[in-house]
Amino acid sequence: MSSTIDDRFTAAHAGSAALHEEAVTRLPSGVTHDTRYFQPFPIYVERAAGARKWDVDGNEIVDFVMGHGALLFGHAHPLLVKAVQPLLEHGTHYGASHRLEIAWARAVQALIPSAEKVRFTSSGTEATMLAVRLARAATGRSRLLELRNHFHGWNDSVMTGARNSAGYVSSAGLPAAMTEAVTVVDQHDTKSIAAELESESYAAAICEPGGYSWGTCPLATSVLELLRDRTAATGALLIFDEVVTGFRASPGGVQSLVGVRPDLTALAKVLAGGMPGGAVAGRADLLDQMAFPSPGAGTPNGDRSPDGARDRVAHPGTFNANPLSAAAGIAALTEVRTGEPIRIANERSRRLCAGFNRAIREREVPGAAYGEASMVHVLLGQHVPPPTDGFTWSWGDAGPQSLVPETPDAVRWPFRRSLLNHGVDLMGGMGALVSCVHSEADIDEAIEAFQAALSDLRREDLL
Ligand code: PLP
């Protein structure tokens, strides 16, 4: 075949190119989420079912983006469709309390060990924002300790430490007061973590407990233990952001796996079974900062805490605990509790990872695939040791601390274009979020596409 990766991409996606032409005139860069930005244009998807999606040009794609990790059950799983569909005829928003929000909280509490109480939000970003607010209110302190590159959504409180390839300032437009209230420490720098937490100025430390970017750089349990120990010693709180890992790393998230109990946990994605939704779960005394005074308590206004001593933590939100999200969430979490969906997704992930590493080895390209549970990461264009047991990659394996496990853009873009040419879509960074409906055949097809894409890049001297 003499045509290039880019020629084939353009030829196979004429419909997407045409849509993108209008999109750029109406939407910044033509997209609606930073991760959906794609060069030279993104594909436009028309429908999806199970492990697959179809674009407007009729291309069939094995999907590993899986709703940015929300779809542990794949696309349009009958169980979730059945839970949501009948509700559409009963109204999509009651502007009132409803039974399902109680059952949804119960389902969360059955899985997350630290969830003494739960408050629903509309997204993961809102969940981390609320968790930080609760911590600041409870401690009367404003400082936040973040680990470098850990992503907690896009609210002002947490963006200082988030990843950005141009440096460590993650977004323009953050108020100085917000960035100045945050100290960012490398996740492996235990000395600095311990030293920072000597200070009694911290409201909380927040982290992705699986390591930054859903485990792209895994985090040792000892760091979580250190964070737990040091925050408790100085009156700071510990917030785990389990937006990705909750109900995926294990039914009870990373905290269940490693036995470290945070004060507050941010949840989203799998929580809402493919519908929009998030939650903060955690210590009852912290969540109850949102409680209103009991009737007859004699406090002068509803903005006071139950004991009337201080302001309560305010938390409105039009779509909090939306009934459709609650219904899908209950169905998803009930199934997660059996352990089966996670077991299957994990098994498929190991198969995918092994296949990717086989291809990398056979074609003698620099890189490795590694993962945790049903999250697989691909690192190309850098010399790294393969994961010790064929799957798990620890920082010790990664070599010098200067290594940032990131595929260079000069490799990542053509590789993702080539993979799409061969019918596979990976997450931006690059990685795969695997569902329990990816069959062995889907995985094997993806491995073949991966092999073909590596060969394509080799042929064009890109790898
Ligand atoms: N925290 C983590 C670890 C995430 O990966 C994300 C989103 O990908 C968020 C928070 C933000 O969640 P949302 O996109 O629902 O606002």
Side-chain angles (χ1 to χ4, degrees), residues 33 68 122-126 128 151-154 208 214 241-244 268-269 277 427:
H33 186 302
H68 299 218
S122 293
S123 67
T125 292
E126 291 182 19
T128 58
F151 179 64
H152 305 299
W154 55 276
E208 290 185 75
W214 47 288
D241 177 347
E242 299 234 42
V243 165
V244 177
K269 302 202 192 256
M427 269 297 274

Side-chain angles (χ1 to χ4, degrees), residues 118-204:
V118 181
R119 179 75 165 215
F120 291 105
T121 64
S122 293
S123 67
T125 292
E126 291 182 19
T128 58
M129 180 166 67
L130 177 60
V132 171
R133 182 180 290 177
L134 288 169
R136 286 180 168 147
T139 58
R141 306 170 181 174
S142 57
R143 293 206 68 72
L144 188 63
L145 187 79
E146 280 193 62
L147 302 186
R148 181 160 291 129
N149 290 348
H150 285 232
F151 179 64
H152 305 299
W154 55 276
N155 72 73
D156 287 355
S157 290
V158 294
M159 278 215 84
T160 307
R163 180 193 204 93
N164 181 298
S165 51
Y168 292 123
V169 177
S170 58
S171 173
L174 300 183
M178 281 292 185
T179 54
E180 284 160 9
V182 176
T183 302
V184 181
V185 180
D186 190 276
Q187 70 170 22
H188 305 292
D189 185 356
T190 49
K191 258 197 200 142
S192 296
I193 292 172
E196 278 301 325
L197 290 173
E198 283 291 306
S199 147
E200 293 188 359
S201 62
Y202 284 99

